[in-house]
Amino acid sequence: MTVGELFIALVLISLVLLVSNAIRNVSPWLRRLFLPSSVIGGAILLLLGPEVIGRGVTGPFEEAAGLFPEYVYESWAALPGLLINVVFAALFIGRPIPGLRTIWMRAGPQVVVGQTMAWGQYVVGLTLALLILAPVFGMNPMAGALIEIGFEGGHGTAAGMADTFTELGFEEGADLALGLATVGIVSGVLIGTLMINIAARRGVISLDKTRKTSDALDEAQAMSQGEENELPPTEEYSEFKKDLAQEEETADPLSLHIGLVGIAIVIGWLILTGLQWIEQQTWARNDGLEILAHVPLFPIAMIGGVIVQLCVTRFGLEPHVSSRTMARIAGTALDFTIVAALATLSLTALGEHFIPFLLLALAGIGWSLFVLIVIAPRVIPENWFERGIGDFGQSMGVTVTGLLLMRMADPKNRSGAFESFGYKQLMFEPVVGGGLFTAASLPLIAQFGAPTILGFTLILTVAWLVFGLLYFGRMVPERGRGRWGVKSP
């Protein structure tokens, strides 16, 4: 693969993103599903690929695979593992990192709900793998981690871990994780919208008297597309002014921000390399236990981003760093990651493991619904549904899914759910949902066995649940309030 071939592959992704944006704009039902343009674009390339429309088509190119040259697919297959580092490195740069006490006081209940959902996905998945998937279908027990990787981690994490799947001898797991991520994001929006309608009808949430849930959905759609029917939030407006000021001071502020992302990735690489060296010199010597050797770079690059942001804050450089610009860098990298990953998705692998795939999807959806309906009202003292629906959306797809569902349930943010959700991320994403444990879960299962990791995740799930019920549960005004049929306080 040459630089020119990589360039052609990137140009094709850019073109398909342009086409997918146009399709999304003219298709009301796609907008209603809140499907990102990147998912639509990836689906288009998948359909044009060698396993669908392009099957048996030689095309105008030498060594063609469907309608595109073979080297294009090789480039696309390599992109997710590289670009996902950019996504995670930029995650916390430009965003103030408050103290743990501040985070806990604002977002403690949602931290509990989010952690319970994430660790419980491992418990459900590993139990399913040990009892059914491995003995009945002969699947690798690592399949038990697919729910958390696909649902909580999303397309980016699933694509970024493709090399780890291959190294550990579970190559089809990457395709199954991507498939679960797609199922999660679609079902998350559909089921989330249904739950909001049910909550509104039963009085669990209170929308404006003259508005229906469908109206809130329309407003969420309009705001997600940046329509000028409402003034932007103060924080976004201040970031916009900061960008304008930076453009007056420098030739191209985007270069500065890309440089900071590069520094974060280098820091993460140095940390990971150092940890891997320590592992090789200690417990992994003489063919011993290897875990860090299989951990991808992206969660450590996220730690590098935190270090960069702490340095920015320490030296008073905040006026020169824009979270808005960082979000655009990460968003662009994530779009390219998702398109490339879906374009190279193996439908054959999904077909061969369709029943296990279906069981994993149903189990993951069932667990997320259980936590939303049963656990959230007993742990979150106020506005449990408005805040819990965000955790439900994130547990089924990506962070944006959670934000959109919260916007639908509480368009004016009267519950303060958005702030709590944002603070929660700082105590959530470094560990699960694409964090350190997500990246290490496959090596851990390979080294210690699925039963051991099941026991570990079960202990954590129960611990978070018991803590939430005892600590925050006593703050719920009445044991009967906040549940289905009774309005949230």
mmCIF file of all heavy atoms in Angstrom, residues 344-394:
data_model
loop_
_atom_site.group_PDB
_atom_site.id
_atom_site.type_symbol
_atom_site.label_atom_id
_atom_site.label_comp_id
_atom_site.label_asym_id
_atom_site.label_seq_id
_atom_site.Cartn_x
_atom_site.Cartn_y
_atom_site.Cartn_z
ATOM 1 N N THR A 344 -15.528 -2.487 5.234
ATOM 2 C CA THR A 344 -14.771 -3.745 5.223
ATOM 3 C C THR A 344 -15.388 -4.805 6.136
ATOM 4 O O THR A 344 -14.753 -5.810 6.448
ATOM 5 C CB THR A 344 -13.315 -3.484 5.647
ATOM 6 O OG1 THR A 344 -13.297 -2.805 6.922
ATOM 7 C CG2 THR A 344 -12.602 -2.606 4.629
ATOM 8 N N LEU A 345 -16.617 -4.557 6.584
ATOM 9 C CA LEU A 345 -17.317 -5.521 7.436
ATOM 10 C C LEU A 345 -17.578 -6.812 6.664
ATOM 11 O O LEU A 345 -17.999 -6.786 5.512
ATOM 12 C CB LEU A 345 -18.639 -4.919 7.908
ATOM 13 C CG LEU A 345 -19.576 -5.816 8.729
ATOM 14 C CD1 LEU A 345 -18.948 -6.171 10.067
ATOM 15 C CD2 LEU A 345 -20.906 -5.115 8.932
ATOM 16 N N SER A 346 -17.336 -7.935 7.315
ATOM 17 C CA SER A 346 -17.554 -9.230 6.679
ATOM 18 C C SER A 346 -18.977 -9.718 6.950
ATOM 19 O O SER A 346 -19.302 -10.113 8.076
ATOM 20 C CB SER A 346 -16.547 -10.265 7.196
ATOM 21 O OG SER A 346 -16.855 -11.545 6.713
ATOM 22 N N LEU A 347 -19.821 -9.658 5.938
ATOM 23 C CA LEU A 347 -21.181 -10.179 6.081
ATOM 24 C C LEU A 347 -21.180 -11.692 6.205
ATOM 25 O O LEU A 347 -22.095 -12.276 6.786
ATOM 26 C CB LEU A 347 -22.027 -9.743 4.883
ATOM 27 C CG LEU A 347 -22.267 -8.241 4.746
ATOM 28 C CD1 LEU A 347 -23.066 -7.947 3.485
ATOM 29 C CD2 LEU A 347 -22.984 -7.696 5.969
ATOM 30 N N THR A 348 -20.161 -12.329 5.653
ATOM 31 C CA THR A 348 -20.049 -13.788 5.768
ATOM 32 C C THR A 348 -19.918 -14.201 7.228
ATOM 33 O O THR A 348 -20.556 -15.162 7.680
ATOM 34 C CB THR A 348 -18.832 -14.290 4.977
ATOM 35 O OG1 THR A 348 -18.962 -13.894 3.613
ATOM 36 C CG2 THR A 348 -18.727 -15.800 5.072
ATOM 37 N N ALA A 349 -19.097 -13.448 7.989
ATOM 38 C CA ALA A 349 -18.923 -13.755 9.410
ATOM 39 C C ALA A 349 -20.228 -13.579 10.172
ATOM 40 O O ALA A 349 -20.556 -14.390 11.053
ATOM 41 C CB ALA A 349 -17.836 -12.863 10.004
ATOM 42 N N LEU A 350 -20.990 -12.538 9.829
ATOM 43 C CA LEU A 350 -22.273 -12.334 10.495
ATOM 44 C C LEU A 350 -23.240 -13.460 10.157
ATOM 45 O O LEU A 350 -23.983 -13.929 11.021
ATOM 46 C CB LEU A 350 -22.873 -10.984 10.082
ATOM 47 C CG LEU A 350 -22.154 -9.718 10.558
ATOM 48 C CD1 LEU A 350 -22.915 -8.474 10.109
ATOM 49 C CD2 LEU A 350 -22.011 -9.721 12.079
ATOM 50 N N GLY A 351 -23.236 -13.894 8.888
ATOM 51 C CA GLY A 351 -24.137 -14.968 8.486
ATOM 52 C C GLY A 351 -23.805 -16.280 9.156
ATOM 53 O O GLY A 351 -24.699 -17.029 9.560
ATOM 54 N N GLU A 352 -22.519 -16.572 9.301
ATOM 55 C CA GLU A 352 -22.097 -17.825 9.922
ATOM 56 C C GLU A 352 -22.419 -17.874 11.403
ATOM 57 O O GLU A 352 -22.574 -18.957 11.983
ATOM 58 C CB GLU A 352 -20.593 -18.023 9.711
ATOM 59 C CG GLU A 352 -20.208 -18.291 8.255
ATOM 60 C CD GLU A 352 -18.713 -18.384 8.084
ATOM 61 O OE1 GLU A 352 -17.994 -18.089 9.066
ATOM 62 O OE2 GLU A 352 -18.259 -18.741 6.979
ATOM 63 N N HIS A 353 -22.499 -16.707 12.028
ATOM 64 C CA HIS A 353 -22.767 -16.659 13.471
ATOM 65 C C HIS A 353 -24.038 -15.850 13.745
ATOM 66 O O HIS A 353 -24.111 -15.097 14.711
ATOM 67 C CB HIS A 353 -21.579 -16.028 14.210
ATOM 68 C CG HIS A 353 -20.288 -16.728 14.001
ATOM 69 N ND1 HIS A 353 -19.412 -16.393 12.997
ATOM 70 C CD2 HIS A 353 -19.710 -17.768 14.665
ATOM 71 C CE1 HIS A 353 -18.349 -17.176 13.046
ATOM 72 N NE2 HIS A 353 -18.504 -18.030 14.047
ATOM 73 N N PHE A 354 -25.038 -16.023 12.895
ATOM 74 C CA PHE A 354 -26.222 -15.178 13.002
ATOM 75 C C PHE A 354 -26.972 -15.392 14.315
ATOM 76 O O PHE A 354 -27.368 -14.430 14.978
ATOM 77 C CB PHE A 354 -27.172 -15.425 11.818
ATOM 78 C CG PHE A 354 -28.433 -14.616 11.895
ATOM 79 C CD1 PHE A 354 -28.406 -13.252 11.641
ATOM 80 C CD2 PHE A 354 -29.644 -15.213 12.247
ATOM 81 C CE1 PHE A 354 -29.571 -12.499 11.716
ATOM 82 C CE2 PHE A 354 -30.801 -14.461 12.334
ATOM 83 C CZ PHE A 354 -30.764 -13.104 12.063
ATOM 84 N N ILE A 355 -27.196 -16.649 14.702
ATOM 85 C CA ILE A 355 -27.950 -16.907 15.934
ATOM 86 C C ILE A 355 -27.191 -16.403 17.161
ATOM 87 O O ILE A 355 -27.780 -15.724 18.015
ATOM 88 C CB ILE A 355 -28.291 -18.409 16.055
ATOM 89 C CG1 ILE A 355 -29.238 -18.824 14.920
ATOM 90 C CG2 ILE A 355 -28.923 -18.701 17.414
ATOM 91 C CD1 ILE A 355 -29.632 -20.278 14.936
ATOM 92 N N PRO A 356 -25.881 -16.694 17.319
ATOM 93 C CA PRO A 356 -25.153 -16.090 18.442
ATOM 94 C C PRO A 356 -25.196 -14.565 18.412
ATOM 95 O O PRO A 356 -25.333 -13.920 19.459
ATOM 96 C CB PRO A 356 -23.722 -16.610 18.241
ATOM 97 C CG PRO A 356 -23.885 -17.886 17.497
ATOM 98 C CD PRO A 356 -25.044 -17.662 16.585
ATOM 99 N N PHE A 357 -25.084 -14.001 17.204
ATOM 100 C CA PHE A 357 -25.156 -12.546 17.064
ATOM 101 C C PHE A 357 -26.506 -12.026 17.555
ATOM 102 O O PHE A 357 -26.588 -11.041 18.303
ATOM 103 C CB PHE A 357 -24.938 -12.173 15.596
ATOM 104 C CG PHE A 357 -25.132 -10.718 15.284
ATOM 105 C CD1 PHE A 357 -24.126 -9.798 15.551
ATOM 106 C CD2 PHE A 357 -26.310 -10.267 14.722
ATOM 107 C CE1 PHE A 357 -24.303 -8.454 15.266
ATOM 108 C CE2 PHE A 357 -26.494 -8.931 14.427
ATOM 109 C CZ PHE A 357 -25.489 -8.019 14.702
ATOM 110 N N LEU A 358 -27.582 -12.701 17.166
ATOM 111 C CA LEU A 358 -28.922 -12.297 17.585
ATOM 112 C C LEU A 358 -29.098 -12.433 19.093
ATOM 113 O O LEU A 358 -29.677 -11.551 19.742
ATOM 114 C CB LEU A 358 -29.958 -13.153 16.851
ATOM 115 C CG LEU A 358 -31.434 -12.801 17.080
ATOM 116 C CD1 LEU A 358 -31.729 -11.393 16.595
ATOM 117 C CD2 LEU A 358 -32.335 -13.812 16.367
ATOM 118 N N LEU A 359 -28.584 -13.516 19.663
ATOM 119 C CA LEU A 359 -28.690 -13.705 21.114
ATOM 120 C C LEU A 359 -27.939 -12.619 21.877
ATOM 121 O O LEU A 359 -28.432 -12.090 22.892
ATOM 122 C CB LEU A 359 -28.142 -15.085 21.492
ATOM 123 C CG LEU A 359 -28.969 -16.294 21.031
ATOM 124 C CD1 LEU A 359 -28.230 -17.586 21.351
ATOM 125 C CD2 LEU A 359 -30.345 -16.283 21.685
ATOM 126 N N LEU A 360 -26.748 -12.277 21.400
ATOM 127 C CA LEU A 360 -25.982 -11.216 22.045
ATOM 128 C C LEU A 360 -26.714 -9.880 21.965
ATOM 129 O O LEU A 360 -26.762 -9.124 22.950
ATOM 130 C CB LEU A 360 -24.601 -11.096 21.393
ATOM 131 C CG LEU A 360 -23.597 -12.200 21.707
ATOM 132 C CD1 LEU A 360 -22.403 -12.122 20.770
ATOM 133 C CD2 LEU A 360 -23.133 -12.119 23.160
ATOM 134 N N ALA A 361 -27.284 -9.580 20.805
ATOM 135 C CA ALA A 361 -27.997 -8.310 20.634
ATOM 136 C C ALA A 361 -29.206 -8.232 21.564
ATOM 137 O O ALA A 361 -29.420 -7.213 22.249
ATOM 138 C CB ALA A 361 -28.431 -8.141 19.176
ATOM 139 N N LEU A 362 -29.997 -9.308 21.615
ATOM 140 C CA LEU A 362 -31.186 -9.311 22.471
ATOM 141 C C LEU A 362 -30.815 -9.230 23.950
ATOM 142 O O LEU A 362 -31.482 -8.542 24.736
ATOM 143 C CB LEU A 362 -32.019 -10.568 22.201
ATOM 144 C CG LEU A 362 -32.692 -10.644 20.820
ATOM 145 C CD1 LEU A 362 -33.393 -11.990 20.649
ATOM 146 C CD2 LEU A 362 -33.683 -9.506 20.643
ATOM 147 N N ALA A 363 -29.751 -9.933 24.325
ATOM 148 C CA ALA A 363 -29.315 -9.899 25.727
ATOM 149 C C ALA A 363 -28.844 -8.499 26.116
ATOM 150 O O ALA A 363 -29.154 -8.003 27.206
ATOM 151 C CB ALA A 363 -28.191 -10.918 25.945
ATOM 152 N N GLY A 364 -28.097 -7.852 25.222
ATOM 153 C CA GLY A 364 -27.620 -6.503 25.507
ATOM 154 C C GLY A 364 -28.758 -5.509 25.619
ATOM 155 O O GLY A 364 -28.778 -4.658 26.532
ATOM 156 N N ILE A 365 -29.723 -5.590 24.712
ATOM 157 C CA ILE A 365 -30.878 -4.682 24.762
ATOM 158 C C ILE A 365 -31.684 -4.923 26.031
ATOM 159 O O ILE A 365 -32.105 -3.982 26.717
ATOM 160 C CB ILE A 365 -31.760 -4.891 23.515
ATOM 161 C CG1 ILE A 365 -31.012 -4.435 22.260
ATOM 162 C CG2 ILE A 365 -33.078 -4.122 23.647
ATOM 163 C CD1 ILE A 365 -31.715 -4.797 20.967
ATOM 164 N N GLY A 366 -31.905 -6.194 26.370
ATOM 165 C CA GLY A 366 -32.674 -6.519 27.563
ATOM 166 C C GLY A 366 -32.039 -5.989 28.835
ATOM 167 O O GLY A 366 -32.730 -5.452 29.713
ATOM 168 N N TRP A 367 -30.712 -6.112 28.943
ATOM 169 C CA TRP A 367 -30.031 -5.625 30.143
ATOM 170 C C TRP A 367 -30.134 -4.103 30.261
ATOM 171 O O TRP A 367 -30.405 -3.572 31.339
ATOM 172 C CB TRP A 367 -28.567 -6.057 30.136
ATOM 173 C CG TRP A 367 -27.759 -5.406 31.214
ATOM 174 C CD1 TRP A 367 -26.805 -4.442 31.076
ATOM 175 C CD2 TRP A 367 -27.857 -5.654 32.630
ATOM 176 N NE1 TRP A 367 -26.297 -4.087 32.292
ATOM 177 C CE2 TRP A 367 -26.918 -4.811 33.273
ATOM 178 C CE3 TRP A 367 -28.635 -6.510 33.409
ATOM 179 C CZ2 TRP A 367 -26.750 -4.795 34.647
ATOM 180 C CZ3 TRP A 367 -28.462 -6.497 34.796
ATOM 181 C CH2 TRP A 367 -27.525 -5.645 35.390
ATOM 182 N N SER A 368 -29.936 -3.391 29.163
ATOM 183 C CA SER A 368 -30.007 -1.927 29.203
ATOM 184 C C SER A 368 -31.403 -1.459 29.588
ATOM 185 O O SER A 368 -31.565 -0.508 30.364
ATOM 186 C CB SER A 368 -29.607 -1.343 27.840
ATOM 187 O OG SER A 368 -28.255 -1.621 27.551
ATOM 188 N N LEU A 369 -32.433 -2.134 29.064
ATOM 189 C CA LEU A 369 -33.803 -1.772 29.438
ATOM 190 C C LEU A 369 -34.068 -2.061 30.913
ATOM 191 O O LEU A 369 -34.734 -1.266 31.599
ATOM 192 C CB LEU A 369 -34.791 -2.562 28.571
ATOM 193 C CG LEU A 369 -35.125 -1.974 27.199
ATOM 194 C CD1 LEU A 369 -35.979 -2.949 26.405
ATOM 195 C CD2 LEU A 369 -35.834 -0.642 27.361
ATOM 196 N N PHE A 370 -33.547 -3.174 31.399
ATOM 197 C CA PHE A 370 -33.730 -3.521 32.814
ATOM 198 C C PHE A 370 -33.133 -2.446 33.723
ATOM 199 O O PHE A 370 -33.760 -2.014 34.698
ATOM 200 C CB PHE A 370 -33.084 -4.875 33.097
ATOM 201 C CG PHE A 370 -33.059 -5.240 34.564
ATOM 202 C CD1 PHE A 370 -34.199 -5.739 35.179
ATOM 203 C CD2 PHE A 370 -31.909 -5.074 35.317
ATOM 204 C CE1 PHE A 370 -34.179 -6.072 36.534
ATOM 205 C CE2 PHE A 370 -31.881 -5.395 36.672
ATOM 206 C CZ PHE A 370 -33.029 -5.898 37.275
ATOM 207 N N VAL A 371 -31.923 -1.997 33.396
ATOM 208 C CA VAL A 371 -31.282 -0.977 34.229
ATOM 209 C C VAL A 371 -32.062 0.331 34.165
ATOM 210 O O VAL A 371 -32.250 1.009 35.188
ATOM 211 C CB VAL A 371 -29.822 -0.757 33.787
ATOM 212 C CG1 VAL A 371 -29.189 0.390 34.571
ATOM 213 C CG2 VAL A 371 -29.007 -2.024 34.001
ATOM 214 N N LEU A 372 -32.545 0.706 32.983
ATOM 215 C CA LEU A 372 -33.305 1.955 32.856
ATOM 216 C C LEU A 372 -34.611 1.904 33.643
ATOM 217 O O LEU A 372 -34.943 2.850 34.374
ATOM 218 C CB LEU A 372 -33.605 2.233 31.380
ATOM 219 C CG LEU A 372 -34.543 3.419 31.108
ATOM 220 C CD1 LEU A 372 -33.913 4.723 31.559
ATOM 221 C CD2 LEU A 372 -34.925 3.480 29.639
ATOM 222 N N ILE A 373 -35.350 0.808 33.516
ATOM 223 C CA ILE A 373 -36.693 0.738 34.108
ATOM 224 C C ILE A 373 -36.656 0.398 35.589
ATOM 225 O O ILE A 373 -37.434 0.943 36.386
ATOM 226 C CB ILE A 373 -37.551 -0.303 33.350
ATOM 227 C CG1 ILE A 373 -37.739 0.141 31.895
ATOM 228 C CG2 ILE A 373 -38.899 -0.485 34.026
ATOM 229 C CD1 ILE A 373 -38.429 -0.901 31.034
ATOM 230 N N VAL A 374 -35.741 -0.485 35.994
ATOM 231 C CA VAL A 374 -35.747 -0.997 37.374
ATOM 232 C C VAL A 374 -34.703 -0.308 38.259
ATOM 233 O O VAL A 374 -35.005 0.076 39.402
ATOM 234 C CB VAL A 374 -35.508 -2.523 37.377
ATOM 235 C CG1 VAL A 374 -35.477 -3.058 38.804
ATOM 236 C CG2 VAL A 374 -36.596 -3.227 36.569
ATOM 237 N N ILE A 375 -33.493 -0.134 37.750
ATOM 238 C CA ILE A 375 -32.407 0.381 38.589
ATOM 239 C C ILE A 375 -32.405 1.903 38.665
ATOM 240 O O ILE A 375 -32.285 2.480 39.756
ATOM 241 C CB ILE A 375 -31.042 -0.125 38.083
ATOM 242 C CG1 ILE A 375 -31.039 -1.658 37.991
ATOM 243 C CG2 ILE A 375 -29.925 0.370 38.995
ATOM 244 C CD1 ILE A 375 -31.335 -2.354 39.293
ATOM 245 N N ALA A 376 -32.511 2.574 37.528
ATOM 246 C CA ALA A 376 -32.393 4.041 37.492
ATOM 247 C C ALA A 376 -33.340 4.750 38.457
ATOM 248 O O ALA A 376 -32.911 5.648 39.194
ATOM 249 C CB ALA A 376 -32.583 4.553 36.070
ATOM 250 N N PRO A 377 -34.638 4.397 38.515
ATOM 251 C CA PRO A 377 -35.523 5.108 39.448
ATOM 252 C C PRO A 377 -35.203 4.875 40.909
ATOM 253 O O PRO A 377 -35.621 5.644 41.776
ATOM 254 C CB PRO A 377 -36.913 4.567 39.089
ATOM 255 C CG PRO A 377 -36.672 3.270 38.418
ATOM 256 C CD PRO A 377 -35.377 3.433 37.686
ATOM 257 N N ARG A 378 -34.462 3.837 41.219
ATOM 258 C CA ARG A 378 -34.102 3.540 42.606
ATOM 259 C C ARG A 378 -32.756 4.127 43.011
ATOM 260 O O ARG A 378 -32.378 4.060 44.166
ATOM 261 C CB ARG A 378 -34.082 2.021 42.817
ATOM 262 C CG ARG A 378 -35.450 1.361 42.731
ATOM 263 C CD ARG A 378 -35.353 -0.152 42.731
ATOM 264 N NE ARG A 378 -36.652 -0.780 42.925
ATOM 265 C CZ ARG A 378 -37.554 -0.986 41.984
ATOM 266 N NH1 ARG A 378 -37.273 -0.595 40.740
ATOM 267 N NH2 ARG A 378 -38.707 -1.553 42.235
ATOM 268 N N VAL A 379 -32.038 4.672 42.026
ATOM 269 C CA VAL A 379 -30.692 5.202 42.297
ATOM 270 C C VAL A 379 -30.619 6.715 42.068
ATOM 271 O O VAL A 379 -29.960 7.431 42.827
ATOM 272 C CB VAL A 379 -29.646 4.484 41.417
ATOM 273 C CG1 VAL A 379 -28.280 5.148 41.544
ATOM 274 C CG2 VAL A 379 -29.546 3.014 41.804
ATOM 275 N N ILE A 380 -31.299 7.200 41.037
ATOM 276 C CA ILE A 380 -31.239 8.627 40.716
ATOM 277 C C ILE A 380 -32.352 9.342 41.480
ATOM 278 O O ILE A 380 -33.541 9.106 41.231
ATOM 279 C CB ILE A 380 -31.407 8.845 39.200
ATOM 280 C CG1 ILE A 380 -30.315 8.091 38.438
ATOM 281 C CG2 ILE A 380 -31.354 10.335 38.860
ATOM 282 C CD1 ILE A 380 -30.425 8.185 36.926
ATOM 283 N N PRO A 381 -32.007 10.227 42.409
ATOM 284 C CA PRO A 381 -33.019 10.843 43.284
ATOM 285 C C PRO A 381 -34.015 11.728 42.545
ATOM 286 O O PRO A 381 -35.193 11.729 42.867
ATOM 287 C CB PRO A 381 -32.183 11.662 44.281
ATOM 288 C CG PRO A 381 -30.822 11.048 44.230
ATOM 289 C CD PRO A 381 -30.644 10.584 42.824
ATOM 290 N N GLU A 382 -33.558 12.507 41.572
ATOM 291 C CA GLU A 382 -34.429 13.460 40.891
ATOM 292 C C GLU A 382 -34.339 13.291 39.378
ATOM 293 O O GLU A 382 -33.257 13.044 38.847
ATOM 294 C CB GLU A 382 -34.060 14.905 41.266
ATOM 295 C CG GLU A 382 -34.253 15.238 42.736
ATOM 296 C CD GLU A 382 -33.886 16.676 43.024
ATOM 297 O OE1 GLU A 382 -33.265 17.307 42.156
ATOM 298 O OE2 GLU A 382 -34.223 17.157 44.112
ATOM 299 N N ASN A 383 -35.492 13.471 38.720
ATOM 300 C CA ASN A 383 -35.543 13.423 37.263
ATOM 301 C C ASN A 383 -34.855 12.165 36.729
ATOM 302 O O ASN A 383 -34.021 12.224 35.829
ATOM 303 C CB ASN A 383 -34.901 14.674 36.665
ATOM 304 C CG ASN A 383 -35.487 15.962 37.211
ATOM 305 O OD1 ASN A 383 -34.816 16.709 37.905
ATOM 306 N ND2 ASN A 383 -36.738 16.223 36.911
ATOM 307 N N TRP A 384 -35.246 11.039 37.294
ATOM 308 C CA TRP A 384 -34.530 9.803 36.984
ATOM 309 C C TRP A 384 -34.637 9.431 35.517
ATOM 310 O O TRP A 384 -33.669 8.915 34.931
ATOM 311 C CB TRP A 384 -35.052 8.654 37.852
ATOM 312 C CG TRP A 384 -36.434 8.175 37.510
ATOM 313 C CD1 TRP A 384 -37.612 8.596 38.050
ATOM 314 C CD2 TRP A 384 -36.785 7.178 36.538
ATOM 315 N NE1 TRP A 384 -38.671 7.936 37.479
ATOM 316 C CE2 TRP A 384 -38.195 7.061 36.552
ATOM 317 C CE3 TRP A 384 -36.056 6.385 35.661
ATOM 318 C CZ2 TRP A 384 -38.888 6.178 35.728
ATOM 319 C CZ3 TRP A 384 -36.732 5.503 34.828
ATOM 320 C CH2 TRP A 384 -38.137 5.399 34.869
ATOM 321 N N PHE A 385 -35.803 9.686 34.895
ATOM 322 C CA PHE A 385 -35.943 9.247 33.513
ATOM 323 C C PHE A 385 -35.147 10.142 32.565
ATOM 324 O O PHE A 385 -34.459 9.648 31.662
ATOM 325 C CB PHE A 385 -37.416 9.248 33.097
ATOM 326 C CG PHE A 385 -37.630 8.658 31.726
ATOM 327 C CD1 PHE A 385 -37.790 7.293 31.565
ATOM 328 C CD2 PHE A 385 -37.652 9.461 30.595
ATOM 329 C CE1 PHE A 385 -37.965 6.734 30.307
ATOM 330 C CE2 PHE A 385 -37.829 8.920 29.335
ATOM 331 C CZ PHE A 385 -37.987 7.551 29.196
ATOM 332 N N GLU A 386 -35.243 11.455 32.759
ATOM 333 C CA GLU A 386 -34.520 12.375 31.891
ATOM 334 C C GLU A 386 -33.024 12.112 31.919
ATOM 335 O O GLU A 386 -32.325 12.260 30.906
ATOM 336 C CB GLU A 386 -34.795 13.830 32.298
ATOM 337 C CG GLU A 386 -36.233 14.279 32.088
ATOM 338 C CD GLU A 386 -37.097 14.048 33.321
ATOM 339 O OE1 GLU A 386 -36.837 13.052 34.037
ATOM 340 O OE2 GLU A 386 -38.012 14.848 33.569
ATOM 341 N N ARG A 387 -32.511 11.737 33.091
ATOM 342 C CA ARG A 387 -31.079 11.472 33.222
ATOM 343 C C ARG A 387 -30.742 10.034 32.834
ATOM 344 O O ARG A 387 -29.718 9.760 32.205
ATOM 345 C CB ARG A 387 -30.636 11.767 34.654
ATOM 346 C CG ARG A 387 -30.812 13.238 35.026
ATOM 347 C CD ARG A 387 -30.652 13.485 36.514
ATOM 348 N NE ARG A 387 -29.279 13.300 36.953
ATOM 349 C CZ ARG A 387 -28.878 13.515 38.201
ATOM 350 N NH1 ARG A 387 -29.744 13.909 39.130
ATOM 351 N NH2 ARG A 387 -27.621 13.331 38.523
ATOM 352 N N GLY A 388 -31.610 9.100 33.200
ATOM 353 C CA GLY A 388 -31.346 7.695 32.901
ATOM 354 C C GLY A 388 -31.431 7.367 31.426
ATOM 355 O O GLY A 388 -30.713 6.484 30.943
ATOM 356 N N ILE A 389 -32.288 8.092 30.691
ATOM 357 C CA ILE A 389 -32.424 7.791 29.261
ATOM 358 C C ILE A 389 -31.133 8.115 28.512
ATOM 359 O O ILE A 389 -30.827 7.507 27.491
ATOM 360 C CB ILE A 389 -33.626 8.565 28.652
ATOM 361 C CG1 ILE A 389 -34.018 7.979 27.286
ATOM 362 C CG2 ILE A 389 -33.311 10.046 28.529
ATOM 363 C CD1 ILE A 389 -34.595 6.604 27.349
ATOM 364 N N GLY A 390 -30.357 9.064 29.030
ATOM 365 C CA GLY A 390 -29.060 9.360 28.430
ATOM 366 C C GLY A 390 -28.087 8.204 28.590
ATOM 367 O O GLY A 390 -27.367 7.839 27.646
ATOM 368 N N ASP A 391 -28.069 7.612 29.776
ATOM 369 C CA ASP A 391 -27.214 6.443 30.002
ATOM 370 C C ASP A 391 -27.675 5.260 29.161
ATOM 371 O O ASP A 391 -26.856 4.489 28.655
ATOM 372 C CB ASP A 391 -27.221 6.062 31.483
ATOM 373 C CG ASP A 391 -26.590 7.134 32.348
ATOM 374 O OD1 ASP A 391 -25.516 7.634 31.986
ATOM 375 O OD2 ASP A 391 -27.183 7.488 33.384
ATOM 376 N N PHE A 392 -28.995 5.119 29.000
ATOM 377 C CA PHE A 392 -29.523 4.047 28.162
ATOM 378 C C PHE A 392 -29.055 4.222 26.719
ATOM 379 O O PHE A 392 -28.594 3.275 26.085
ATOM 380 C CB PHE A 392 -31.052 4.044 28.224
ATOM 381 C CG PHE A 392 -31.701 3.129 27.225
ATOM 382 C CD1 PHE A 392 -31.799 1.772 27.483
ATOM 383 C CD2 PHE A 392 -32.193 3.622 26.025
ATOM 384 C CE1 PHE A 392 -32.395 0.916 26.565
ATOM 385 C CE2 PHE A 392 -32.787 2.781 25.098
ATOM 386 C CZ PHE A 392 -32.883 1.424 25.371
ATOM 387 N N GLY A 393 -29.171 5.444 26.197
ATOM 388 C CA GLY A 393 -28.752 5.701 24.827
ATOM 389 C C GLY A 393 -27.281 5.443 24.612
ATOM 390 O O GLY A 393 -26.883 4.844 23.606
ATOM 391 N N GLN A 394 -26.462 5.867 25.572
ATOM 392 C CA GLN A 394 -25.024 5.635 25.441
ATOM 393 C C GLN A 394 -24.697 4.155 25.534
ATOM 394 O O GLN A 394 -23.803 3.666 24.827
ATOM 395 C CB GLN A 394 -24.270 6.393 26.527
ATOM 396 C CG GLN A 394 -22.762 6.280 26.390
ATOM 397 C CD GLN A 394 -22.020 7.010 27.489
ATOM 398 O OE1 GLN A 394 -22.510 7.139 28.608
ATOM 399 N NE2 GLN A 394 -20.837 7.499 27.187
#
